[in-house]
Amino acid sequence: MDLDCAKPFEAQVEAITAQPRLVPAGTVGAEPYSYYSSADGRVSYLITRPGSPAHPAIMIQRAEGGVHTDGCAYGSKAGYDELYAYLESLKTWTRKGADAP
């Protein structure tokens, strides 16, 4: 499902979460976001919760020929831009551990 930023935040969240075969990842730690992914892993949604500087906002990432991020900023544009930059930075993140050079 594509995002329609003309729809109100609550209506958009309802439409996203009502999709069949959508896997809720719930919340991660204390982060003020809820995550949902398609069963095939090709589409993921991040929905902000109160406490997020970007709230209310919805992000979508599509994995096709790379990962592409888009979204709807209903609240703070600066908070949304910060969240977008954070998600984009994760694309180049690699784990450094005992087996890393």
Side-chain angles (χ1 to χ4, degrees):
M1 178 186 122
D2 285 330
L3 297 181
D4 179 356
C5 297
K7 285 185 178 179
F9 175 77
E10 293 80 8
Q12 188 98 268
V13 170
E14 197 172 294
I16 289 168
T17 58
Q19 292 180 88
R21 297 179 302 281
L22 193 66
V23 180
T27 58
V28 178
E31 290 187 350
Y33 314 110
S34 295
Y35 301 92
Y36 300 85
S37 295
S38 61
D40 64 7
R42 295 178 67 189
V43 178
S44 295
Y45 300 93
L46 179 150
I47 300 171
T48 63
R49 293 185 289 120
S52 165
H55 188 68
I58 302 170
M59 306 295 286
I60 183 172
Q61 288 191 316
R62 293 179 189 87
E64 188 173 320
V67 177
H68 305 280
T69 306
D70 199 3
C72 300
Y74 294 95
S76 164
K77 178 71 169 122
Y80 174 88
D81 290 344
E82 189 176 303
L83 177 58
Y84 182 89
Y86 168 70
L87 289 177
E88 288 293 296
S89 76
L90 294 178
K91 293 179 186 179
T92 59
W93 182 84
T94 55
R95 181 179 302 270
K96 293 183 180 177
D99 58 337

